[in-house]
Amino acid sequence: GAVVSQHPSRVICKSGTSVKIECRSLDFQATTMFWYRQFPKQSLMLMATSNEGSKATYEQGVEKDKFLINHASLTLSTLTVTSAHPEDSSFYICSASRGSYSNQPQHFGDGTRLSIL
Amino acid sequence: GNSVTQMEGPVTLSEEAFLTINCTYTATGYPSLFWYVQYPGEGLQLLLKATKADDKGSNKGFEATYRKETTSFHLEKGSVQVSDSAVYFCALSDLGTGNQFYFGTGTSLTVIP
């Protein structure tokens, strides 16, 4: 089946550091990828939609300059948390879909646990 | 607009008990419906899906039927196991909103031996 790989799985770093998270679709091309944030015991909050070759579409309330998204190829999207602070600590998950039809499921990466000290 | 309402947890069941997790939705178009499962510390895995009314999705003993008349997609399993302990998310996808996924709040299930 389709596989989405997310890396790294866990990051612990000091406040002020920028952290890059990669999301790769391993066996299909994904023109669109999604980035979510999940707080403990809560549902997924969509942060942005990453579009290959164009700017990402951010959800209301998500800082574009804080969370930089790049979708340089059909198999790779990156999320960079710039100048991270403790309040950015969270579980970040990406997803991708094979096609553009609504009956196609989203395939999720295993998530990245980000801890800012 | 689109939204998903899921029964609140946590749910605790004994092994071999019957499971139902309720999910209802609101959609402007003709959505596809999904159940995802999240094990501790992991991402989400697709459990099952249904793409049109009256479709039944099934996998690993879990079932859910797309009921348009009641706008529901309840998850059921006849006999749960300890290994089913996880968080379950109901979700919908609507082509009309660019295939954006809308998730329920998740239901935590714990199965005790």
Side-chain angles (χ1 to χ4, degrees):
Chain A
V3 177
V4 172
S5 173
Q6 190 172 339
H7 178 80
S9 58
R10 186 176 182 93
V11 179
I12 302 173
C13 57
K14 295 180 179 179
S15 184
T17 306
S18 292
V19 178
K20 180 185 284 188
I21 303 170
E22 292 187 349
C23 181
R24 295 180 183 273
S25 56
L26 297 184
D27 62 352
F28 65 98
Q29 294 182 332
T31 55
T32 303
M33 292 184 174
F34 300 91
W35 287 97
Y36 297 86
R37 183 173 181 176
Q38 186 180 31
F39 293 99
K41 298 184 180 181
Q42 294 188 26
S43 188
L44 282 71
M45 181 191 77
L46 180 64
M47 298 175 64
T49 302
S50 173
N51 303 300
E52 189 270 336
S54 64
K55 292 183 179 180
T57 303
Y58 289 82
E59 295 301 302
Q60 190 174 6
V62 178
E63 298 178 58
K64 300 178 182 180
D65 296 332
K66 161 68 78 175
F67 300 101
L68 300 179
I69 291 173
N70 184 281
H71 196 152
S73 76
L74 287 170
T75 58
L76 174 64
S77 175
T78 60
L79 168 68
T80 301
V81 183
T82 61
S83 187
H85 290 95
E87 59 267 28
D88 299 323
S89 298
S90 193
F91 192 55
Y92 293 87
I93 307 176
C94 70
S95 72
S97 176
R98 267 188 194 278
S100 58
Y101 296 101
S102 64
N103 61 1
Q104 295 294 324
Q106 290 287 320
H107 299 281
F108 288 83
D110 285 337
T112 298
R113 175 78 56 194
L114 177 61
S115 300
I116 307 299
L117 306 178
Chain B
N2 296 327
S3 67
V4 175
T5 302
Q6 194 173 333
M7 71 180 280
E8 292 187 16
V11 174
T12 302
L13 295 174
S14 297
E15 204 166 22
E16 299 184 1
F18 184 85
L19 168 71
T20 299
I21 300 178
N22 290 337
C23 172
T24 57
Y25 67 90
T26 302
T28 54
Y30 299 92
S32 295
L33 301 173
F34 306 84
W35 276 100
Y36 283 86
V37 58
Q38 184 179 34
Y39 298 101
E42 299 183 12
L44 275 68
Q45 300 175 28
L46 177 66
L47 182 59
L48 54 83
K49 70 173 186 178
T51 58
K52 61 183 187 295
D54 299 326
D55 269 2
K56 177 187 283 187
S58 61
N59 185 26
K60 299 180 181 179
F62 292 90
E63 292 183 343
T65 301
Y66 188 160
R67 302 285 189 197
K68 189 176 181 182
E69 64 276 13
T70 54
T71 62
S72 65
F73 193 54
H74 304 321
L75 182 68
E76 297 182 336
K77 186 173 185 180
S79 176
V80 294
Q81 305 299 313
V82 173
S83 57
D84 294 327
S85 298
V87 180
Y88 293 82
F89 291 93
C90 184
L92 75 81
S93 172
D94 186 352
L95 182 62
T97 52
N99 286 341
Q100 180 178 328
F101 265 54
Y102 298 84
F103 287 90
T105 52
T107 302
S108 175
L109 170 66
T110 301
V111 180
I112 54 177

